[in-house]
Amino acid sequence: MQVSDKLTKALTEVKYLNADNVSRYRCIMRIFFENYEKLRYWMYQEDVYAQMTAHSFFADYTPEQCQQDLAMLVEWKNLNTIQDTRKVSSIEEFKNKKFRYQMSEYSVEIERLVLRLENLFIEGASLEPTLLERIRINIARFPEMAGQDVNQVYTWWNDLNNDFVRLNQNYQDYIRDLNSVKAEEMMHTSQFLVFKDRLVEYLRSFIKGLQRNVGVIEEDLRTLSEDVKQAVFEKVIQYELLIPRMDVEVSRELIEEKTRGRYQSIYDWFVSSNGEENEAGKLFDATNEIIRRITRYAAQLSEKNALGANRREEYRKVAELFLACSDVQQAHRMSAMVFGMERPYHVAGDLVRETDSMNQGVYEEAPLEITLKPRVRTYREKSRRSAIRESATERQQTRARLIEQQREDQKRLLELEIDGKIDFSTLPVIDAHVREILLKWISDAMEDPAGTARTEDGRRFVLDMSQSKRRCVVHCEDGNFTMPQMSIVFQEEEP
């Protein structure tokens, strides 16, 4: 937050919204605003008084009250005034000070805000995938705009920023409405089931548009060169400086700061940086969470409505199935299907895993065998005599297999090494085991403050993260994953 005089000073222009005679002040300001939209900027006291008394609500309104109200609005800086000397024919008329009144700039914006607040629940907010499409198309035109004239560049720049502001405000307002107390209460009523499917379909269509466009926009923004951006910014700044402004001096530094700030807002919305999720990703997660909540509430309502349903037909069907059984044994099997087993056996065991690897599948591990023993007092286990086993041969075989596996791993890793380093952005398709080894090396290096570590065979390496702001895709046999672009650089040992 940047603290300035504009931020800390009081806004006297909004006093008319909550003053004692608020009904008169607001109606006068609405009269001025409606005439402002008709390009009638200046009005006399007689014009205001005539429009006020045209309504029955102000039947007792007097010219003196109108003059006092206009004077108060001038004092609050809502109206600008100038003495009209065109129709003066005597000194007395000049002394009476016949004024013309005009809305101030602050008052125009305040009335626009008040109108939006009055129509807030009528207009509402929405999620528009078409805005994402238009933003994607306009961002793709960045290199083209670097060679266009300033008028065309400024029009394109305004369209891009207006679409972005509209997208940002609309999604915030729409998500706020779906997370409001009123929406939460409505999701617990039976009326919610009527339009639940329509709402979910609407949100999913927006998510599809988000997934389709955000990746392309992010790539375009990342690959955009500084020369192109500087050329576009320069033309926008030139056009801004050519606009004549009354009583306002705008410096080049302020315009450049505003232009770059708008671009940075768009960049941060679509591009992830410094390990933080971008705003588009947050919107994606929030929308998915709303869909999950809607589905959960709809399922709860359906279950609640089903509790009071008549089960007579279901019981009748079950009875017919039992009557169709040929004997008691078949009826017992039918009973097990309908009501479950009469005496189920619950077996519990303490499984000792052969490995703690999280990548080991359930079907790749040995099954748990449980021996059932009779529950009689006379049962005794048979004692078995066995000689001491010599396991030296097995240990030798296990050791040989491990050494062979390590040699095979070293050979496959050496094939990935180019000029003394392994670059993740240029890797071919690798299998899951090689990927685990490479990720373990990265983890070991990141635990060291200097970013160095050693491989299993003792080679020292350093993790190069100079290009980590970029992203790369590593292709594996079991799928692909995206990671920061980095390299493993091996260091020669000193003799």
Side-chain angles (χ1 to χ4, degrees), residues 155-423:
T155 302
W156 161 82
W157 178 253
N158 272 343
D159 291 341
L160 173 61
N161 281 274
N162 291 335
D163 288 341
F164 175 70
V165 170
R166 185 176 172 188
L167 170 69
N168 203 27
Q169 292 178 352
N170 281 2
Y171 102 79
Q172 290 175 353
D173 295 343
Y174 195 80
I175 297 299
R176 178 206 62 199
D177 293 341
L178 291 179
N179 286 311
S180 63
V181 176
K182 184 178 180 181
E184 193 79 15
E185 293 174 350
M186 188 175 183
M187 288 182 186
H188 289 85
T189 62
S190 57
Q191 297 177 354
F192 175 65
L193 294 175
V194 177
F195 64 94
K196 181 264 298 184
D197 294 335
R198 196 152 49 93
L199 178 58
V200 171
E201 182 63 28
Y202 180 72
L203 293 174
R204 284 176 177 169
S205 66
F206 178 74
I207 287 179
K208 291 178 183 178
L210 197 65
Q211 291 175 324
R212 185 170 58 251
N213 293 285
V214 168
V216 180
I217 295 174
E218 181 178 3
E219 185 64 24
D220 290 343
L221 290 173
R222 285 185 182 276
T223 57
L224 194 61
S225 65
E226 288 295 331
D227 294 338
V228 171
K229 287 191 292 185
Q230 184 60 36
V232 172
F233 293 160
E234 186 65 29
K235 293 187 177 183
V236 173
I237 295 169
Q238 289 177 10
Y239 190 92
E240 290 270 6
L241 291 174
L242 292 175
I243 300 175
R245 294 177 172 87
M246 301 293 292
D247 299 332
V248 177
E249 292 185 4
V250 180
S251 63
R252 179 185 177 87
E253 290 75 15
L254 289 176
I255 297 176
E256 183 175 1
E257 182 181 355
K258 180 190 72 172
T259 305
R260 291 187 176 275
R262 287 183 175 181
Y263 173 81
Q264 191 63 38
S265 299
I266 298 175
Y267 186 89
D268 294 339
W269 207 94
F270 290 101
V271 180
S272 303
S273 59
N274 300 326
E276 296 182 359
E277 189 177 22
N278 55 18
E279 198 67 25
K282 295 178 183 178
L283 174 57
F284 181 82
D285 295 339
T287 310
N288 277 328
E289 179 60 30
I290 291 173
I291 293 176
R292 285 193 291 269
R293 192 169 81 245
I294 290 172
T295 307
R296 183 171 65 251
Y297 285 160
Q300 293 175 358
L301 286 174
S302 299
E303 293 176 0
K304 183 179 179 181
N305 294 336
L307 291 176
N310 193 347
R311 293 286 185 91
R312 180 179 298 177
E313 294 299 326
E314 296 181 12
Y315 293 146
R316 187 189 300 276
K317 183 63 177 178
V318 172
E320 291 176 357
L321 292 175
F322 275 103
L323 287 174
C325 294
S326 58
D327 53 17
V328 176
Q329 295 300 325
Q330 188 177 359
H332 286 329
R333 290 194 291 271
M334 179 62 67
S335 175
M337 290 292 295
V338 175
F339 305 109
M341 297 180 62
E342 184 179 358
R343 294 180 181 178
Y345 290 94
H346 299 277
V347 181
D350 187 11
L351 175 63
V352 179
R353 297 188 62 190
E354 296 178 356
T355 176
D356 293 331
S357 174
M358 62 181 294
N359 299 310
Q360 189 81 1
V362 176
Y363 295 103
E364 298 175 0
E365 298 188 10
L368 173 65
E369 297 182 359
I370 299 177
T371 304
L372 301 179
K373 300 179 181 179
R375 292 187 178 182
V376 292
R377 301 175 67 181
T378 57
Y379 173 76
R380 295 289 184 274
E381 293 185 3
K382 294 181 180 179
S383 58
R384 296 181 180 180
R385 298 177 182 178
S386 60
I388 299 175
R389 295 179 58 189
E390 178 63 39
S391 59
T393 304
E394 295 181 359
R395 289 198 299 269
Q396 295 254 347
Q397 293 176 352
T398 303
R399 183 173 179 274
R401 284 197 303 270
L402 293 175
I403 293 174
E404 182 63 26
Q405 178 66 38
Q406 189 174 9
R407 289 175 180 172
E408 182 66 22
D409 293 342
Q410 291 177 0
K411 179 181 178 182
R412 294 160 68 184
L413 291 168
L414 284 173
E415 294 176 353
L416 303 178
E417 182 179 339
I418 300 176
D419 297 333
K421 69 176 182 177
I422 297 177
D423 190 351

